Amino acid sequence: MDVKGLAAIVTGGGSGMGAAVARALAGAGAKIALIDRNAEAAEAVATEIGGLALAGDVSDEASIREALAAAREAHGVARIAVNCAGIADAGRVVGREGPHPLDLFRRVIDVNLIGSFNVGRLAAAAMAEVEPLPTGERGLIVNTASVAAYEGQIGQAAYSASKGGIVAMTLPMARELARFGIRVMTVAPGLIGTPMLLSMSDEVQESLVATTLFPKRLGQPEEYARLVLHIAENELLNGETIRLDGAVRLAPK
């Protein structure tokens, strides 16, 4: 898939990996609509790349329907949908204050897992209506999981469950959407230097980097973005999750 001239939507596009993806796709000639709960942050990135900023909550059906309709009005049907929106609220199953708050668990699942599916299903429905590209493709969905889907740490029960769900739905979605020429891929990043991770103390960051085999550093959002661009360009990539992690394996805590 040559992304030049194609419409793309990126959730969580106001910062971190989402912003990096938006910049990379725009640099390759795609028309970008950024969806983020932080409208101000999305607007800043959109202004930088000549894209469209839209406020939206991925876990809310009406909010995403409205955002996708606005993106379609501006750029046409999005052939590329990249889900980067997510939260990482942590809590022990049984902590000092008692059992894990159920509302917190539900919120993480709502945003990370249900939000990714919500955007994916609505984007795919629109992709299925358009004419195929010369490659036979109609579209691409890229979801963001995490290495925590495989070796979640203490306190990450909700986060790991949400990201594990994203990994698990990748192949079934790819199998179902194949008849439309829509590919579905997932990236499971490791320790990426996003604002959330960089807000941690130097000591915590150093301890995390120490568990990485090579290269011994935090990943960069731009490295995630380059992988997404490669996935778009390599049509044989489908139905799989790629770890982007320097061979890190998370310790229990």
Side-chain angles (χ1 to χ4, degrees), residues 36-236:
D36 202 297
R37 288 189 301 173
N38 187 332
E40 185 176 339
E43 186 60 48
V45 177
T47 298
E48 173 192 339
I49 65 174
L52 174 68
L54 299 165
D57 179 349
V58 295
S59 65
D60 182 81
E61 178 174 1
S63 175
I64 294 304
R65 283 189 181 275
E66 182 178 342
L68 292 182
R72 183 171 186 166
E73 179 68 22
H75 298 152
V77 173
R79 299 274 193 172
I80 303 165
V82 185
N83 274 309
C84 292
I87 58 176
D89 299 37
R92 289 178 178 254
V93 178
V94 179
R96 293 179 180 176
E97 304 300 321
H100 192 296
L102 191 57
D103 285 347
L104 174 60
F105 189 94
R106 184 177 289 114
R107 178 60 181 160
V108 174
I109 297 295
D110 276 349
V111 173
N112 294 354
L113 177 55
I114 296 176
S116 295
F117 182 73
N118 184 36
V119 173
R121 73 189 180 97
L122 295 175
M127 292 175 188
E129 297 177 354
V130 298
E131 289 298 312
L133 298 168
T135 59
E137 300 172 272
R138 283 191 170 89
L140 168 68
I141 298 166
V142 180
N143 293 319
T144 304
S146 164
V147 295
Y150 305 99
E151 59 259 4
Q153 297 183 298
I154 291 171
Q156 288 188 322
Y159 184 71
S160 294
S162 69
K163 296 301 187 177
I166 291 172
V167 171
M169 73 181 182
T170 303
L171 183 56
M173 287 183 68
R175 283 173 163 170
E176 181 177 341
L177 297 177
R179 66 192 179 100
F180 299 114
I182 299 171
R183 294 187 288 130
V184 182
M185 285 290 292
T186 294
V187 178
L191 305 171
I192 307 296
T194 60
M196 180 178 65
L197 195 151
L198 294 176
S199 68
M200 299 177 181
S201 68
D202 290 342
E203 181 181 2
V204 171
Q205 290 185 46
E206 289 170 6
S207 69
L208 292 172
V209 169
T211 65
T212 304
L213 292 184
F214 183 83
K216 276 201 173 296
R217 61 170 173 79
L218 297 177
Q220 301 168 356
E222 291 75 18
E223 291 172 311
Y224 173 93
R226 290 203 301 271
L227 178 55
V228 170
L229 190 56
H230 176 73
I231 290 170
E233 294 171 343
N234 190 334
E235 64 193 71
L236 200 59

